[in-house]
Amino acid sequence: MKHAILALAPLFISGCATTNTNYRPVAVEISEPPLGQVVTAEVGGTMLQQGKYVESDAILLHDTVKVGVLGAYTFSRGYYVREGEDGKNEFYRPEPSPEGGKVDKSLLADPYRTLLVSKSSPTLCGVSVFGAKVCSKNAPFTRVKRPALTQDGFQQTLLYSGRIGNKINISYREFSNNIARPAFNNDVEYDLGESMTIGYKGAEIEIVEATNRAIKYKVVRNFNQAVR
């Protein structure tokens, strides 16, 4: 009875799908700005950033989409991250974040398995645990990249916190999986009357000009490899 109900809607296509969970997020290395280049950062802005983060292919669903008779599956607006693919389709699950989407199923629908997106057309399908699928054509979504919550993401940054008199304030932050690590945050004060070159955790920066609004500088050396 359930499968018969899902197959009735003339405005939707239906069928069967074999799903995969073979996708792996990609690690992206970061080292900014380039060494020896004079750059400017405003108060609160990032002066130096090094490390890597892990990002995943994802889709952003712009509006709520219902598929199947009486809305067998309802996909709320938000992000869905890729979990697998085959030659014709990609498979997604709701991102586990406040911006992530959500899937609801109707009373008569089979248990939900995955969100299928066609590689060749803007078609979005809900796939059940039995492989049955119900779809919507011209679904309003955009392919995007999203930070992935894994153990591999780690970043170090220096932020400019302003100038008072002849002293500048720099804030050091470490991020793991895009979450600040409070025990590894620190605020440091430097006296430009003593030196126009500052250093922290192996990083070396030459200050060209600093005000209470912005700082002009160049990076001579980036951070040493941090120990987590």
Side-chain angles (χ1 to χ4, degrees):
M1 179 63 177
K2 296 178 184 177
H3 293 297
I5 290 176
L6 293 179
L8 289 176
L11 298 180
F12 297 89
I13 60 174
S14 61
C16 294
T18 300
T19 63
N20 290 323
T21 55
N22 56 356
Y23 177 75
R24 297 293 178 267
V26 177
V28 180
E29 299 288 339
I30 303 171
S31 185
E32 299 174 341
L35 298 182
Q37 179 176 315
V38 177
V39 292
T40 301
E42 297 182 347
V43 170
T46 300
M47 294 179 61
L48 177 58
Q49 185 176 30
Q50 186 180 38
K52 69 176 180 178
Y53 69 96
V54 181
E55 68 177 12
S56 176
D57 289 342
I59 63 168
L60 171 59
L61 195 60
H62 299 289
D63 296 302
T64 295
V65 174
K66 293 179 182 289
V67 295
V69 172
L70 303 178
Y73 301 118
T74 300
F75 299 96
S76 67
R77 60 183 299 176
Y79 292 99
Y80 296 78
V81 293
R82 188 187 296 189
E83 61 179 358
E85 65 180 311
D86 59 25
K88 297 181 179 180
N89 305 303
E90 301 161 348
F91 307 104
Y92 293 83
R93 57 181 171 79
E95 181 182 86
S97 75
E99 296 83 25
K102 182 182 177 183
V103 183
D104 292 312
K105 79 173 193 70
S106 68
L107 259 173
L108 298 177
D110 288 326
Y112 168 78
R113 167 63 186 88
T114 191
L115 169 61
L116 180 154
V117 175
S118 170
K119 290 183 177 180
S120 60
S121 65
T123 299
L124 180 153
C125 308
V127 182
S128 78
V129 294
F130 302 110
K133 68 177 182 179
V134 284
C135 306
S136 172
K137 295 182 178 180
N138 301 316
F141 67 85
T142 303
R143 285 182 169 82
V144 296
K145 301 287 187 180
R146 291 289 286 176
L149 298 177
T150 72
Q151 296 301 314
D152 297 326
F154 178 72
Q155 296 177 43
Q156 296 172 279
T157 64
L158 289 180
L159 309 176
Y160 184 52
S161 298
R163 177 171 181 166
I164 300 178
N166 210 36
K167 297 180 179 180
I168 61 171
N169 295 296
I170 305 294
S171 297
Y172 173 76
R173 300 288 184 267
E174 286 186 4
F175 296 85
S176 180
N177 304 325
N178 300 291
I179 300 173
R181 306 171 72 195
F184 296 89
N185 295 344
N186 195 22
D187 297 318
V188 187
E189 185 177 79
Y190 296 91
D191 188 343
L192 297 183
E194 295 182 1
S195 176
M196 293 293 284
T197 299
I198 65 173
Y200 193 87
K201 282 186 175 289
E204 183 177 326
I205 298 174
E206 290 184 7
I207 309 302
V208 177
E209 181 184 2
T211 70
N212 61 356
R213 291 188 175 184
I215 186 170
K216 185 181 292 186
Y217 63 98
K218 66 178 178 180
V219 177
V220 178
R221 186 172 61 245
N222 215 316
F223 292 112
N224 293 329
Q225 184 65 39
V227 178
R228 286 186 280 174

